[in-house]
PDB file of all heavy atoms in Angstrom:
ATOM      1  N   LYS A  71       5.595  -4.217   0.815  1.00 98.00           N
ATOM      2  CA  LYS A  71       4.534  -3.204   0.826  1.00 98.00           C
ATOM      3  C   LYS A  71       3.228  -3.866   0.449  1.00 98.00           C
ATOM      4  O   LYS A  71       3.178  -4.682  -0.475  1.00 98.00           O
ATOM      5  CB  LYS A  71       4.876  -2.129  -0.220  1.00 98.00           C
ATOM      6  CG  LYS A  71       3.841  -1.033  -0.343  1.00 98.00           C
ATOM      7  CD  LYS A  71       4.183   0.130   0.547  1.00 98.00           C
ATOM      8  CE  LYS A  71       3.046   1.111   0.701  1.00 98.00           C
ATOM      9  NZ  LYS A  71       2.022   0.668   1.694  1.00 98.00           N
ATOM     10  N   GLY A  72       2.177  -3.496   1.132  1.00 98.00           N
ATOM     11  CA  GLY A  72       0.861  -4.018   0.742  1.00 98.00           C
ATOM     12  C   GLY A  72      -0.160  -3.835   1.840  1.00 98.00           C
ATOM     13  O   GLY A  72       0.177  -3.575   2.992  1.00 98.00           O
ATOM     14  N   GLY A  73      -1.398  -3.990   1.469  1.00 98.00           N
ATOM     15  CA  GLY A  73      -2.514  -3.669   2.346  1.00 98.00           C
ATOM     16  C   GLY A  73      -2.720  -4.630   3.502  1.00 98.00           C
ATOM     17  O   GLY A  73      -2.036  -5.647   3.647  1.00 98.00           O
ATOM     18  N   LEU A  74      -3.690  -4.253   4.316  1.00 98.00           N
ATOM     19  CA  LEU A  74      -4.106  -5.047   5.473  1.00 98.00           C
ATOM     20  C   LEU A  74      -5.625  -5.106   5.408  1.00 98.00           C
ATOM     21  O   LEU A  74      -6.273  -4.061   5.367  1.00 98.00           O
ATOM     22  CB  LEU A  74      -3.646  -4.329   6.742  1.00 98.00           C
ATOM     23  CG  LEU A  74      -4.250  -4.787   8.062  1.00 98.00           C
ATOM     24  CD1 LEU A  74      -3.830  -6.210   8.375  1.00 98.00           C
ATOM     25  CD2 LEU A  74      -3.800  -3.855   9.196  1.00 98.00           C
ATOM     26  N   ARG A  75      -6.188  -6.317   5.336  1.00 98.00           N
ATOM     27  CA  ARG A  75      -7.651  -6.398   5.258  1.00 98.00           C
ATOM     28  C   ARG A  75      -8.282  -6.963   6.511  1.00 98.00           C
ATOM     29  O   ARG A  75      -7.661  -7.758   7.213  1.00 98.00           O
ATOM     30  CB  ARG A  75      -8.088  -7.186   4.009  1.00 98.00           C
ATOM     31  CG  ARG A  75      -7.722  -8.623   3.938  1.00 98.00           C
ATOM     32  CD  ARG A  75      -8.357  -9.300   2.722  1.00 98.00           C
ATOM     33  NE  ARG A  75      -7.979  -8.699   1.451  1.00 98.00           N
ATOM     34  CZ  ARG A  75      -8.335  -9.157   0.255  1.00 98.00           C
ATOM     35  NH1 ARG A  75      -9.081 -10.245   0.163  1.00 98.00           N
ATOM     36  NH2 ARG A  75      -7.955  -8.575  -0.853  1.00 98.00           N
ATOM     37  N   LEU A  88      -1.906 -12.929  -1.815  1.00 98.00           N
ATOM     38  CA  LEU A  88      -2.055 -11.480  -1.961  1.00 98.00           C
ATOM     39  C   LEU A  88      -0.699 -10.789  -1.824  1.00 98.00           C
ATOM     40  O   LEU A  88      -0.414  -9.802  -2.511  1.00 98.00           O
ATOM     41  CB  LEU A  88      -3.067 -10.956  -0.932  1.00 98.00           C
ATOM     42  CG  LEU A  88      -4.528 -11.356  -1.216  1.00 98.00           C
ATOM     43  CD1 LEU A  88      -5.389 -11.242   0.046  1.00 98.00           C
ATOM     44  CD2 LEU A  88      -5.131 -10.518  -2.332  1.00 98.00           C
ATOM     45  N   MET A  92       1.400  -8.593  -4.657  1.00 98.00           N
ATOM     46  CA  MET A  92       1.941  -7.250  -4.379  1.00 98.00           C
ATOM     47  C   MET A  92       3.378  -7.112  -4.896  1.00 98.00           C
ATOM     48  O   MET A  92       3.769  -6.052  -5.383  1.00 98.00           O
ATOM     49  CB  MET A  92       1.906  -6.930  -2.876  1.00 98.00           C
ATOM     50  CG  MET A  92       0.554  -6.570  -2.298  1.00 98.00           C
ATOM     51  SD  MET A  92      -0.409  -5.317  -3.190  1.00 98.00           S
ATOM     52  CE  MET A  92       0.679  -3.907  -3.126  1.00 98.00           C
ATOM     53  N   LYS A  95       2.958  -6.513  -8.521  1.00 98.00           N
ATOM     54  CA  LYS A  95       2.277  -5.235  -8.763  1.00 98.00           C
ATOM     55  C   LYS A  95       3.294  -4.090  -8.631  1.00 98.00           C
ATOM     56  O   LYS A  95       3.387  -3.219  -9.496  1.00 98.00           O
ATOM     57  CB  LYS A  95       1.154  -5.066  -7.722  1.00 98.00           C
ATOM     58  CG  LYS A  95       0.162  -3.994  -8.050  1.00 98.00           C
ATOM     59  CD  LYS A  95      -0.841  -3.788  -6.911  1.00 98.00           C
ATOM     60  CE  LYS A  95      -1.838  -4.927  -6.784  1.00 98.00           C
ATOM     61  NZ  LYS A  95      -2.992  -4.563  -5.917  1.00 98.00           N
ATOM     62  N   CYS A  96       4.070  -4.125  -7.549  1.00 98.00           N
ATOM     63  CA  CYS A  96       5.070  -3.071  -7.346  1.00 98.00           C
ATOM     64  C   CYS A  96       6.117  -3.116  -8.458  1.00 98.00           C
ATOM     65  O   CYS A  96       6.550  -2.073  -8.959  1.00 98.00           O
ATOM     66  CB  CYS A  96       5.740  -3.233  -5.982  1.00 98.00           C
ATOM     67  SG  CYS A  96       4.617  -2.934  -4.603  1.00 98.00           S
ATOM     68  N   TYR A 103       9.873  -1.414  -4.145  1.00 98.00           N
ATOM     69  CA  TYR A 103       9.251  -2.209  -3.081  1.00 98.00           C
ATOM     70  C   TYR A 103       9.163  -3.676  -3.448  1.00 98.00           C
ATOM     71  O   TYR A 103       9.033  -4.030  -4.624  1.00 98.00           O
ATOM     72  CB  TYR A 103       7.791  -1.770  -2.879  1.00 98.00           C
ATOM     73  CG  TYR A 103       7.555  -0.442  -2.223  1.00 98.00           C
ATOM     74  CD1 TYR A 103       6.525   0.371  -2.686  1.00 98.00           C
ATOM     75  CD2 TYR A 103       8.290  -0.024  -1.116  1.00 98.00           C
ATOM     76  CE1 TYR A 103       6.236   1.593  -2.088  1.00 98.00           C
ATOM     77  CE2 TYR A 103       8.007   1.202  -0.513  1.00 98.00           C
ATOM     78  CZ  TYR A 103       6.985   2.003  -1.000  1.00 98.00           C
ATOM     79  OH  TYR A 103       6.704   3.197  -0.406  1.00 98.00           O
ATOM     80  N   GLY A 106       3.990  -7.403   0.272  1.00 98.00           N
ATOM     81  CA  GLY A 106       3.522  -7.901   1.565  1.00 98.00           C
ATOM     82  C   GLY A 106       2.013  -7.810   1.632  1.00 98.00           C
ATOM     83  O   GLY A 106       1.377  -7.148   0.799  1.00 98.00           O
ATOM     84  N   LYS A 107       1.424  -8.464   2.593  1.00 98.00           N
ATOM     85  CA  LYS A 107      -0.024  -8.331   2.802  1.00 98.00           C
ATOM     86  C   LYS A 107      -0.359  -8.817   4.195  1.00 98.00           C
ATOM     87  O   LYS A 107       0.301  -9.703   4.728  1.00 98.00           O
ATOM     88  CB  LYS A 107      -0.785  -9.197   1.792  1.00 98.00           C
ATOM     89  CG  LYS A 107      -2.230  -8.784   1.620  1.00 98.00           C
ATOM     90  CD  LYS A 107      -2.305  -7.588   0.708  1.00 98.00           C
ATOM     91  CE  LYS A 107      -3.703  -7.288   0.266  1.00 98.00           C
ATOM     92  NZ  LYS A 107      -3.679  -6.478  -0.966  1.00 98.00           N
ATOM     93  N   ILE A 143       5.616  -1.980   4.907  1.00 98.00           N
ATOM     94  CA  ILE A 143       4.745  -0.812   5.065  1.00 98.00           C
ATOM     95  C   ILE A 143       3.297  -1.168   4.718  1.00 98.00           C
ATOM     96  O   ILE A 143       2.934  -1.231   3.549  1.00 98.00           O
ATOM     97  CB  ILE A 143       5.247   0.340   4.149  1.00 98.00           C
ATOM     98  CG1 ILE A 143       6.728   0.631   4.430  1.00 98.00           C
ATOM     99  CG2 ILE A 143       4.401   1.604   4.330  1.00 98.00           C
ATOM    100  CD1 ILE A 143       7.582   0.687   3.200  1.00 98.00           C
ATOM    101  N   PRO A 144       2.462  -1.396   5.731  1.00 98.00           N
ATOM    102  CA  PRO A 144       1.055  -1.733   5.450  1.00 98.00           C
ATOM    103  C   PRO A 144       0.242  -0.522   4.961  1.00 98.00           C
ATOM    104  O   PRO A 144       0.685   0.628   5.036  1.00 98.00           O
ATOM    105  CB  PRO A 144       0.524  -2.226   6.796  1.00 98.00           C
ATOM    106  CG  PRO A 144       1.734  -2.509   7.637  1.00 98.00           C
ATOM    107  CD  PRO A 144       2.780  -1.538   7.157  1.00 98.00           C
ATOM    108  N   ALA A 145      -0.955  -0.817   4.477  1.00 98.00           N
ATOM    109  CA  ALA A 145      -1.838   0.211   3.905  1.00 98.00           C
ATOM    110  C   ALA A 145      -3.269  -0.320   3.957  1.00 98.00           C
ATOM    111  O   ALA A 145      -3.482  -1.472   4.293  1.00 98.00           O
ATOM    112  CB  ALA A 145      -1.429   0.474   2.451  1.00 98.00           C
ATOM    113  N   PRO A 146      -4.260   0.503   3.589  1.00 97.00           N
ATOM    114  CA  PRO A 146      -5.637   0.001   3.591  1.00 97.00           C
ATOM    115  C   PRO A 146      -5.873  -1.059   2.516  1.00 97.00           C
ATOM    116  O   PRO A 146      -5.174  -1.122   1.516  1.00 97.00           O
ATOM    117  CB  PRO A 146      -6.480   1.252   3.288  1.00 97.00           C
ATOM    118  CG  PRO A 146      -5.592   2.416   3.566  1.00 97.00           C
ATOM    119  CD  PRO A 146      -4.209   1.943   3.270  1.00 97.00           C
ATOM    120  N   ASP A 147      -6.855  -1.875   2.765  1.00 97.00           N
ATOM    121  CA  ASP A 147      -7.307  -2.883   1.802  1.00 97.00           C
ATOM    122  C   ASP A 147      -8.795  -3.107   2.114  1.00 97.00           C
ATOM    123  O   ASP A 147      -9.442  -2.185   2.623  1.00 97.00           O
ATOM    124  CB  ASP A 147      -6.457  -4.162   1.959  1.00 97.00           C
ATOM    125  CG  ASP A 147      -6.563  -5.102   0.770  1.00 97.00           C
ATOM    126  OD1 ASP A 147      -5.922  -4.848  -0.250  1.00 97.00           O
ATOM    127  OD2 ASP A 147      -7.318  -6.095   0.850  1.00 97.00           O
ATOM    128  N   VAL A 148      -9.304  -4.295   1.847  1.00 96.00           N
ATOM    129  CA  VAL A 148     -10.737  -4.553   2.043  1.00 96.00           C
ATOM    130  C   VAL A 148     -11.153  -4.254   3.499  1.00 96.00           C
ATOM    131  O   VAL A 148     -10.570  -4.808   4.439  1.00 96.00           O
ATOM    132  CB  VAL A 148     -11.055  -6.034   1.688  1.00 96.00           C
ATOM    133  CG1 VAL A 148     -12.511  -6.355   1.994  1.00 96.00           C
ATOM    134  CG2 VAL A 148     -10.715  -6.311   0.232  1.00 96.00           C
ATOM    135  N   THR A 175       0.822   3.635   4.928  1.00 98.00           N
ATOM    136  CA  THR A 175       0.317   4.619   3.969  1.00 98.00           C
ATOM    137  C   THR A 175      -1.208   4.529   3.946  1.00 98.00           C
ATOM    138  O   THR A 175      -1.791   3.633   4.548  1.00 98.00           O
ATOM    139  CB  THR A 175       0.902   4.391   2.563  1.00 98.00           C
ATOM    140  OG1 THR A 175       0.590   3.055   2.162  1.00 98.00           O
ATOM    141  CG2 THR A 175       2.398   4.617   2.555  1.00 98.00           C
ATOM    142  N   GLY A 176      -1.828   5.490   3.259  1.00 98.00           N
ATOM    143  CA  GLY A 176      -3.287   5.556   3.299  1.00 98.00           C
ATOM    144  C   GLY A 176      -3.759   6.179   4.596  1.00 98.00           C
ATOM    145  O   GLY A 176      -4.849   5.895   5.089  1.00 98.00           O
ATOM    146  N   ARG A 187      -4.685   9.895  -2.438  1.00 98.00           N
ATOM    147  CA  ARG A 187      -4.496   8.470  -2.122  1.00 98.00           C
ATOM    148  C   ARG A 187      -5.813   7.702  -2.072  1.00 98.00           C
ATOM    149  O   ARG A 187      -5.910   6.583  -2.562  1.00 98.00           O
ATOM    150  CB  ARG A 187      -3.747   8.304  -0.779  1.00 98.00           C
ATOM    151  CG  ARG A 187      -3.638   6.843  -0.290  1.00 98.00           C
ATOM    152  CD  ARG A 187      -2.870   5.975  -1.266  1.00 98.00           C
ATOM    153  NE  ARG A 187      -2.839   4.558  -0.906  1.00 98.00           N
ATOM    154  CZ  ARG A 187      -3.761   3.677  -1.247  1.00 98.00           C
ATOM    155  NH1 ARG A 187      -4.821   4.060  -1.951  1.00 98.00           N
ATOM    156  NH2 ARG A 187      -3.642   2.413  -0.897  1.00 98.00           N
ATOM    157  N   THR A 191      -6.712   3.991  -6.383  1.00 98.00           N
ATOM    158  CA  THR A 191      -6.911   2.678  -7.008  1.00 98.00           C
ATOM    159  C   THR A 191      -7.904   2.798  -8.164  1.00 98.00           C
ATOM    160  O   THR A 191      -7.659   2.314  -9.275  1.00 98.00           O
ATOM    161  CB  THR A 191      -7.377   1.636  -5.974  1.00 98.00           C
ATOM    162  OG1 THR A 191      -6.463   1.643  -4.878  1.00 98.00           O
ATOM    163  CG2 THR A 191      -7.420   0.244  -6.583  1.00 98.00           C
ATOM    164  N   ALA A 316      -9.772  -4.140 -11.011  1.00 98.00           N
ATOM    165  CA  ALA A 316      -9.429  -3.261  -9.888  1.00 98.00           C
ATOM    166  C   ALA A 316      -9.265  -4.049  -8.596  1.00 98.00           C
ATOM    167  O   ALA A 316      -8.665  -3.578  -7.636  1.00 98.00           O
ATOM    168  CB  ALA A 316     -10.503  -2.192  -9.710  1.00 98.00           C
ATOM    169  N   ASN A 318      -7.949  -7.590  -6.462  1.00 97.00           N
ATOM    170  CA  ASN A 318      -6.829  -8.514  -6.529  1.00 97.00           C
ATOM    171  C   ASN A 318      -7.373  -9.905  -6.819  1.00 97.00           C
ATOM    172  O   ASN A 318      -8.255 -10.391  -6.102  1.00 97.00           O
ATOM    173  CB  ASN A 318      -6.082  -8.534  -5.193  1.00 97.00           C
ATOM    174  CG  ASN A 318      -5.324  -7.247  -4.938  1.00 97.00           C
ATOM    175  OD1 ASN A 318      -4.460  -6.870  -5.719  1.00 97.00           O
ATOM    176  ND2 ASN A 318      -5.659  -6.558  -3.854  1.00 97.00           N
ATOM    177  N   SER A 343      -4.887  -2.597 -10.877  1.00 98.00           N
ATOM    178  CA  SER A 343      -5.194  -2.204  -9.491  1.00 98.00           C
ATOM    179  C   SER A 343      -4.006  -1.544  -8.813  1.00 98.00           C
ATOM    180  O   SER A 343      -3.997  -1.370  -7.591  1.00 98.00           O
ATOM    181  CB  SER A 343      -5.633  -3.433  -8.679  1.00 98.00           C
ATOM    182  OG  SER A 343      -4.513  -4.222  -8.352  1.00 98.00           O
ATOM    183  N   ALA A 344      -2.994  -1.177  -9.587  1.00 98.00           N
ATOM    184  CA  ALA A 344      -1.747  -0.684  -8.984  1.00 98.00           C
ATOM    185  C   ALA A 344      -1.753   0.806  -8.618  1.00 98.00           C
ATOM    186  O   ALA A 344      -0.789   1.305  -8.041  1.00 98.00           O
ATOM    187  CB  ALA A 344      -0.577  -0.972  -9.917  1.00 98.00           C
ATOM    188  N   GLY A 345      -2.824   1.512  -8.918  1.00 98.00           N
ATOM    189  CA  GLY A 345      -2.857   2.944  -8.618  1.00 98.00           C
ATOM    190  C   GLY A 345      -2.738   3.229  -7.123  1.00 98.00           C
ATOM    191  O   GLY A 345      -2.083   4.191  -6.709  1.00 98.00           O
ATOM    192  N   GLY A 346      -3.347   2.374  -6.310  1.00 98.00           N
ATOM    193  CA  GLY A 346      -3.322   2.588  -4.851  1.00 98.00           C
ATOM    194  C   GLY A 346      -1.917   2.517  -4.303  1.00 98.00           C
ATOM    195  O   GLY A 346      -1.457   3.432  -3.606  1.00 98.00           O
ATOM    196  N   VAL A 347      -1.216   1.461  -4.642  1.00 98.00           N
ATOM    197  CA  VAL A 347       0.128   1.316  -4.075  1.00 98.00           C
ATOM    198  C   VAL A 347       1.079   2.346  -4.688  1.00 98.00           C
ATOM    199  O   VAL A 347       2.047   2.771  -4.048  1.00 98.00           O
ATOM    200  CB  VAL A 347       0.660  -0.136  -4.213  1.00 98.00           C
ATOM    201  CG1 VAL A 347       0.994  -0.501  -5.641  1.00 98.00           C
ATOM    202  CG2 VAL A 347       1.876  -0.332  -3.320  1.00 98.00           C
ATOM    203  N   THR A 348       0.781   2.801  -5.886  1.00 98.00           N
ATOM    204  CA  THR A 348       1.638   3.822  -6.498  1.00 98.00           C
ATOM    205  C   THR A 348       1.534   5.137  -5.717  1.00 98.00           C
ATOM    206  O   THR A 348       2.556   5.759  -5.393  1.00 98.00           O
ATOM    207  CB  THR A 348       1.257   4.026  -7.981  1.00 98.00           C
ATOM    208  OG1 THR A 348       1.402   2.769  -8.643  1.00 98.00           O
ATOM    209  CG2 THR A 348       2.132   5.056  -8.657  1.00 98.00           C
ATOM    210  N   VAL A 349       0.309   5.525  -5.363  1.00 98.00           N
ATOM    211  CA  VAL A 349       0.186   6.754  -4.567  1.00 98.00           C
ATOM    212  C   VAL A 349       0.626   6.501  -3.115  1.00 98.00           C
ATOM    213  O   VAL A 349       1.101   7.401  -2.437  1.00 98.00           O
ATOM    214  CB  VAL A 349      -1.216   7.386  -4.691  1.00 98.00           C
ATOM    215  CG1 VAL A 349      -1.351   8.594  -3.777  1.00 98.00           C
ATOM    216  CG2 VAL A 349      -1.457   7.809  -6.149  1.00 98.00           C
ATOM    217  N   SER A 350       0.539   5.246  -2.666  1.00 98.00           N
ATOM    218  CA  SER A 350       1.132   4.912  -1.362  1.00 98.00           C
ATOM    219  C   SER A 350       2.636   5.190  -1.392  1.00 98.00           C
ATOM    220  O   SER A 350       3.214   5.688  -0.429  1.00 98.00           O
ATOM    221  CB  SER A 350       0.915   3.431  -1.028  1.00 98.00           C
ATOM    222  OG  SER A 350      -0.334   3.219  -0.432  1.00 98.00           O
ATOM    223  N   TYR A 351       3.247   4.839  -2.503  1.00 98.00           N
ATOM    224  CA  TYR A 351       4.682   5.107  -2.666  1.00 98.00           C
ATOM    225  C   TYR A 351       4.931   6.619  -2.596  1.00 98.00           C
ATOM    226  O   TYR A 351       5.828   7.094  -1.890  1.00 98.00           O
ATOM    227  CB  TYR A 351       5.158   4.504  -3.988  1.00 98.00           C
ATOM    228  CG  TYR A 351       6.500   5.000  -4.466  1.00 98.00           C
ATOM    229  CD1 TYR A 351       7.640   4.868  -3.671  1.00 98.00           C
ATOM    230  CD2 TYR A 351       6.635   5.602  -5.715  1.00 98.00           C
ATOM    231  CE1 TYR A 351       8.871   5.329  -4.105  1.00 98.00           C
ATOM    232  CE2 TYR A 351       7.861   6.067  -6.162  1.00 98.00           C
ATOM    233  CZ  TYR A 351       8.975   5.935  -5.347  1.00 98.00           C
ATOM    234  OH  TYR A 351      10.187   6.395  -5.783  1.00 98.00           O
TER     235      TYR A 351
HETATM  236  N1  LIG B   1      -4.369  -2.683  -0.762  1.00 50.55           N
HETATM  237  C1  LIG B   1      -3.948  -2.052  -1.970  1.00 50.55           C
HETATM  238  C2  LIG B   1      -3.533  -3.079  -2.993  1.00 50.55           C
HETATM  239  O1  LIG B   1      -3.942  -4.206  -2.940  1.00 50.55           O
HETATM  240  C3  LIG B   1      -2.915  -0.966  -1.736  1.00 50.55           C
HETATM  241  C4  LIG B   1      -1.634  -1.430  -1.121  1.00 50.55           C
HETATM  242  C5  LIG B   1      -0.721  -0.291  -0.692  1.00 50.55           C
HETATM  243  O2  LIG B   1      -1.070   0.851  -0.897  1.00 50.55           O
HETATM  244  O3  LIG B   1       0.332  -0.609  -0.135  1.00 50.55           O
HETATM  245  O4  LIG B   1      -2.864  -2.777  -3.940  1.00 50.55           O
END
Side-chain angles (χ1 to χ4, degrees):
K71 178 93 193 80
L74 166 65
R75 65 174 59 176
L88 289 160
M92 284 311 300
K95 195 186 288 194
C96 293
Y103 288 141
K107 199 80 168 201
I143 306 130
D147 197 79
V148 175
T175 57
R187 174 61 185 87
T191 307
N318 290 301
S343 76
V347 71
T348 301
V349 176
S350 275
Y351 165 57

